[in-house]
Amino acid sequence: MDRGPRLAVLIGVALCCCLRHCDGASLMPAQFDCTPATYCAPQCLDNTTQTQMAGSEFSLMGSSTGEQQLHSAVVHMVAAVSTRFGNVTNNVANGLHLSFQYLCCTNQSERRLIGQALASVKWKAIPVRFSRVVCAASMALALADPQAQGALFGVVSAFEEAIAARGIPIEQFRSEQAPFHASLFNAHPPRAVNMQEVINVAQSTIPTGGSLNSVPIMVDSFTFDGNVYPATPGSDLTTNSQSLAKRPSPSEKATLTDHPS
């Protein structure tokens, strides 16, 4: 009888058991995988003239009731996580924002055309609540609620069409990136602590079925390349550009590795 295959199986089983239980400790503990993500390539083809990533964003640091609720909730959340696991880093409680787009590898001339494209799109202000905490690598994120996700994606898709109509290639569509969110903080728990525990503690500070801001924040403008682009009161979403091929809708399982906040 050929004992080779059976011996190989036994060796494999023994090695697996050793990795998990040798000396009473687990050398390969099960790890919680944070949401993976892809934004822009690490380098552009022309690093002398191109900017690796140029974002458009809406500041969440205003004086509206929703923004004050969000800020207070994040401060409370960071305190709870820090008490349990130690201080966090990159705490953005005083710099909260919502990113619209991550535009990859553009030069100054292209960004001027992108600005013209963005200005050509008429869109309505969007009410946003932040309802759930997830993580990207070690960064905790607050996701915009599902209704806001759909509305924001519709606006950004119109921006992408307007940009492409001006001959600027979209290196990576927003639907291929992370869902719309506000970055909160970086957590670096002790080695024995799973990141899932950190996220659970963060989420526990939000009332069940509630959100970080019960009053929605009206996202009515964004900043790109130093310029502000406001929503048009009373306008439906319109653009003069030609429609692009259908793209996939955003997913909460979009890949996230080096999170830019």
Side-chain angles (χ1 to χ4, degrees):
M1 176 180 177
D2 184 4
R3 300 174 60 190
R6 183 165 179 251
L7 182 60
V9 171
L10 290 174
I11 291 173
V13 171
L15 178 60
C16 179
C17 290
C18 182
L19 288 172
R20 291 181 177 273
H21 303 295
C22 283
D23 299 323
S26 175
L27 300 182
M28 292 180 62
Q31 289 296 315
F32 169 71
D33 292 328
C34 293
T35 306
T38 302
Y39 286 97
C40 297
Q43 289 187 323
C44 300
L45 293 177
D46 184 354
N47 287 324
T48 59
T49 63
Q50 292 180 317
T51 299
Q52 191 253 352
M53 184 166 63
S56 57
E57 64 182 45
F58 172 79
S59 171
L60 297 167
M61 296 304 298
S63 59
S64 71
T65 300
E67 287 165 301
Q68 291 178 345
Q69 288 179 340
L70 176 63
H71 182 263
S72 178
V74 173
V75 169
H76 175 57
M77 181 186 296
V78 168
V81 171
S82 298
T83 299
R84 178 77 177 274
F85 304 107
N87 290 337
V88 303
T89 59
N90 196 27
N91 179 3
V92 294
N94 291 318
L96 294 167
H97 63 274
L98 171 70
S99 293
F100 271 67
Q101 291 176 284
Y102 305 99
L103 295 164
C104 306
C105 296
T106 57
N107 58 40
Q108 189 173 9
S109 297
E110 288 172 330
R111 287 194 295 277
R112 280 197 294 269
L113 290 174
I114 289 171
Q116 294 172 13
L118 298 177
S120 73
V121 178
K122 295 182 179 180
W123 57 287
K124 288 183 178 180
I126 300 169
V128 178
R129 291 183 177 91
F130 293 92
S131 57
R132 189 160 68 88
V133 180
V134 299
C135 65
S138 61
M139 174 65 79
L141 316 175
L143 295 185
D145 64 273
Q147 185 174 356
Q149 292 284 345
L152 289 164
F153 179 67
V155 171
V156 171
S157 292
F159 291 158
E160 291 173 342
E161 292 180 1
I163 292 168
R166 283 165 172 76
I168 309 300
I170 304 295
E171 295 290 335
Q172 192 153 18
F173 293 110
R174 189 65 173 82
S175 62
E176 301 171 295
Q177 300 169 350
F180 294 95
H181 62 272
S183 298
L184 304 178
F185 59 84
N186 276 101
H188 301 283
R191 188 175 183 83
V193 177
N194 195 302
M195 265 299 289
Q196 178 67 73
E197 296 181 49
V198 176
I199 298 304
N200 287 345
V201 169
Q203 185 68 37
S204 71
T205 65
I206 305 173
T208 302
S211 60
L212 282 82
N213 55 303
S214 59
V215 176
I217 298 168
M218 295 305 296
V219 176
D220 57 3
S221 66
F222 63 92
T223 301
F224 173 73
D225 210 28
N227 297 309
V228 177
Y229 298 85
T232 306
S235 292
D236 290 325
L237 181 62
T238 60
T239 175
N240 295 325
S241 63
Q242 297 296 317
S243 296
L244 299 180
K246 183 178 179 181
R247 300 183 294 279
S249 60
S251 166
E252 293 184 4
K253 293 183 179 179
T255 52
L256 278 189
T257 47
D258 296 323
H259 186 263
S261 84

